[in-house]
Amino acid sequence: MTMVDLPAAVHIGAGDLPFVDIGDGSVLKVIQVKEAEGLWILENVFQAGYAVQRHKHTGPVYAYTTSGAWKYDEYSYVNRTGSFLYEPAGSIHTLRVLEDDTHVWFQMYGANLNLDANGDVESVSDGASTLGVYLALCEQAGLPRPKVIRD
Amino acid sequence: MTMVDLPAAVHIGAGDLPFVDIGDGSVLKVIQVKEAEGLWILENVFQAGYAVQRHKHTGPVYAYTTSGAWKYDEYSYVNRTGSFLYEPAGSIHTLRVLEDDTHVWFQMYGANLNLDANGDVESVSDGASTLGVYLALCEQAGLPRPKVIRD
Amino acid sequence: MTMVDLPAAVHIGAGDLPFVDIGDGSVLKVIQVKEAEGLWILENVFQAGYAVQRHKHTGPVYAYTTSGAWKYDEYSYVNRTGSFLYEPAGSIHTLRVLEDDTHVWFQMYGANLNLDANGDVESVSDGASTLGVYLALCEQAGLPRPKVIRD
Amino acid sequence: MTMVDLPAAVHIGAGDLPFVDIGDGSVLKVIQVKEAEGLWILENVFQAGYAVQRHKHTGPVYAYTTSGAWKYDEYSYVNRTGSFLYEPAGSIHTLRVLEDDTHVWFQMYGANLNLDANGDVESVSDGASTLGVYLALCEQAGLPRPKVIRD
């Protein structure tokens, strides 16, 4: 066994990628997108009142919360500092942020099918589209192109 | 190390699950659905002219063809006996069957976003919905409930 | 679309599962094990000096660090508060903790092949074996059986 | 929506990659290896009597059989034409081929831990190592470097 050609771990320090504003002071960082596999990993710091339209996941999602408070309208539990949330493929919910400076990492597979009031798909968010938004917002903010981990 | 409580492999023989008609003599079998993971494994025998609406995959798909011929309208290659096809998440295409008795296994992750002429999502197919269709068609055909591999 | 039979997200709050001592004050919590898929999710709070034998991963690993400092002997970067680490399948390294109260979530696929000085496999750690250790340590500590998320 | 930069499906026709001899007339083709994800997809045509040492899987495996007959010593069912086999991560078994011209596709995640009579790990096979063997056997046979689907 030799170290030649071994795949190496990739480290992204807290300051290595910029946050961009996604409205009312809530911010987004895209850390990794394996488009071919459908994997996308995001870091958000949300402010109270931030909401994400009711959506259905086509793959599983794993959420790690390190500060603040957020919940799904459809359920009573609240994600707080130290919470872990497992969202199986097929789960449907509406995200709402309860406190300022709510910090969450999301490890997501597949797409978010954003649903209208009838339960029909109004739009779709996935790793590729979210990466596009992130890169555009970085460019608009005059930031250098961030080195998101890619395939 | 003991054999106690070890997970066991699950075998589905060629005749263990029924095919159901999905139109004009093309047939479907649902072999495995891990809904929480977004995995669905299908077996189809298609007749010439069978088509699947243009769709986008939210996860990767792996197709194993054992007879006949089928292709995507968007590409020139033809899947024939012994063909393997890898469809990364995000790929978009329109399936068309060229020959009778075209036999394919599809190992799919995520959902099919079925697109209209404008590229908007008209409907969504996934493991759960396809399993529902399969079970209903089995029931309509007077067949016993098939033992699809589940979570 | 109805809420009937929809898969629901599963929340594990910071205090819902106990930490158990794995030596010198470092502690472990097993949050989720999907044995059939090879997925295991751990939470650790390490003390300075804690080390993990050189190992090779058979699947990808994603690590989220929320306090303290740790690194791999083979690389120079240091995981600190807010660090994300992506370890592709096939990567090999030796974990060493640099500061007390180093808090990390690990989302792991596959097994750790623990290597001796010759690079041969000395032992194997995976979700099933780590869950077994965790449940045994909980029982030894007189704790009720923890509700780890399972398949 | 535009076709620009969309990921495209990758087709491997029956004759696009060579088979190489792995002993007594049994042959191997490596179709796809996503090393970072731990995925490897093989095609084998085995002759009667071919066996694979007892091994444990660290990820799930899906096997599609199109001719012949093979089984695991530990179980009574026989994989024949049209059989599907699901092997969850953690499963352990010894493969034995019963008939000539047994054709199987294996879609594998993680590694095979090859076990000795005591259940200890004697060696490890994975996508990277199997690809290395395949490329070397192609070269020895004087074949051009095969275009295996890679990351």
Side-chain angles (χ1 to χ4, degrees), chain A residues 1-149:
Chain A
M1 192 170 294
T2 146
M3 295 301 289
V4 177
D5 278 329
L6 272 183
V10 182
H11 174 255
I12 301 289
D16 289 346
L17 293 170
F19 279 112
V20 294
D21 197 289
I22 50 171
D24 297 325
S26 292
V27 295
L28 165 72
K29 183 190 290 189
V30 177
I31 298 178
Q32 181 167 21
V33 178
K34 286 197 192 186
E35 189 178 357
E37 195 185 335
L39 171 64
W40 39 317
I41 299 179
L42 308 181
E43 190 175 347
N44 284 104
V45 186
F46 297 116
Q47 303 308 319
Y50 189 89
V52 176
Q53 178 179 3
R54 192 161 177 263
H55 57 279
K56 179 174 182 172
H57 291 286
T58 73
V61 173
Y62 308 85
Y64 301 88
T65 299
T66 64
S67 66
W70 63 283
K71 72 184 295 292
Y72 288 130
D73 288 354
E74 292 80 0
Y75 303 101
S76 57
Y77 57 76
V78 176
N79 288 271
R80 298 185 181 280
T81 306
S83 282
F84 168 81
L85 191 70
Y86 165 55
E87 310 175 19
S91 57
I92 297 180
H93 36 243
T94 310
L95 185 154
R96 197 166 308 274
V97 176
L98 306 179
E99 295 182 6
D100 283 348
D101 297 322
T102 291
H103 188 141
V104 191
W105 275 300
F106 294 99
Q107 182 166 333
M108 311 173 78
Y109 294 83
N112 287 19
L113 309 181
N114 302 309
L115 306 177
D116 65 17
N118 297 322
D120 293 322
V121 179
E122 198 167 75
S123 65
V124 178
S125 307
D126 61 15
S129 67
T130 304
L131 178 61
V133 167
Y134 178 62
L135 295 179
L137 290 172
C138 285
E139 193 174 354
Q140 282 173 31
L143 297 165
R145 192 177 177 85
K147 294 185 180 167
V148 175
I149 306 173

Side-chain angles (χ1 to χ4, degrees), chain D residues 93-137:
Chain D
H93 37 242
T94 310
L95 185 153
R96 197 166 309 272
V97 176
L98 306 180
E99 295 182 5
D100 283 348
D101 297 322
T102 291
H103 188 142
V104 191
W105 275 300
F106 294 99
Q107 182 165 332
M108 312 174 77
Y109 294 84
N112 287 19
L113 309 181
N114 302 309
L115 305 177
D116 65 17
N118 297 321
D120 292 322
V121 179
E122 199 167 73
S123 64
V124 178
S125 307
D126 61 14
S129 68
T130 303
L131 178 61
V133 168
Y134 178 62
L135 296 179
L137 289 173

Side-chain angles (χ1 to χ4, degrees), chain C residues 40-115:
Chain C
W40 38 318
I41 299 180
L42 309 181
E43 191 175 346
N44 284 105
V45 185
F46 297 117
Q47 304 308 319
Y50 190 89
V52 177
Q53 179 180 2
R54 191 162 176 264
H55 57 279
K56 179 174 182 172
H57 291 286
T58 73
V61 174
Y62 307 85
Y64 301 88
T65 299
T66 64
S67 67
W70 63 283
K71 73 184 294 293
Y72 288 130
D73 288 354
E74 293 80 359
Y75 303 101
S76 57
Y77 56 77
V78 177
N79 287 271
R80 298 185 181 282
T81 306
S83 281
F84 168 82
L85 191 70
Y86 164 56
E87 309 175 19
S91 57
I92 297 181
H93 37 243
T94 311
L95 185 154
R96 197 165 307 275
V97 176
L98 306 179
E99 295 182 5
D100 283 348
D101 298 322
T102 291
H103 187 141
V104 191
W105 276 300
F106 294 99
Q107 183 166 333
M108 312 173 78
Y109 294 84
N112 287 19
L113 309 181
N114 303 309
L115 306 176

Side-chain angles (χ1 to χ4, degrees), chain D:
Chain D
M1 190 172 292
T2 146
M3 295 301 290
V4 177
D5 278 329
L6 273 183
V10 182
H11 174 256
I12 301 288
D16 288 347
L17 293 170
F19 279 112
V20 294
D21 197 289
I22 51 172
D24 296 325
S26 292
V27 295
L28 166 72
K29 183 190 289 189
V30 177
I31 299 178
Q32 180 168 23
V33 177
K34 287 196 191 186
E35 188 177 358
E37 194 184 337
L39 171 65
W40 38 319
I41 299 179
L42 309 181
E43 191 175 346
N44 284 105
V45 185
F46 297 116
Q47 304 308 320
Y50 190 89
V52 177
Q53 178 179 4
R54 192 162 177 262
H55 56 279
K56 180 175 181 172
H57 291 286
T58 73
V61 173
Y62 307 85
Y64 301 88
T65 299
T66 63
S67 67
W70 64 283
K71 71 183 297 291
Y72 288 130
D73 288 353
E74 293 80 0
Y75 303 100
S76 57
Y77 56 77
V78 177
N79 288 271
R80 299 187 181 278
T81 305
S83 280
F84 168 82
L85 190 71
Y86 165 56
E87 310 175 19
S91 58
I92 297 181
H93 37 242
T94 310
L95 185 153
R96 197 166 309 272
V97 176
L98 306 180
E99 295 182 5
D100 283 348
D101 297 322
T102 291
H103 188 142
V104 191
W105 275 300
F106 294 99
Q107 182 165 332
M108 312 174 77
Y109 294 84
N112 287 19
L113 309 181
N114 302 309
L115 305 177
D116 65 17
N118 297 321
D120 292 322
V121 179
E122 199 167 73
S123 64
V124 178
S125 307
D126 61 14
S129 68
T130 303
L131 178 61
V133 168
Y134 178 62
L135 296 179
L137 289 173
C138 285
E139 193 174 353
Q140 283 174 31
L143 299 165
R145 192 178 178 85
K147 293 185 180 169
V148 176
I149 307 174
R150 303 288 296 276
D151 282 15

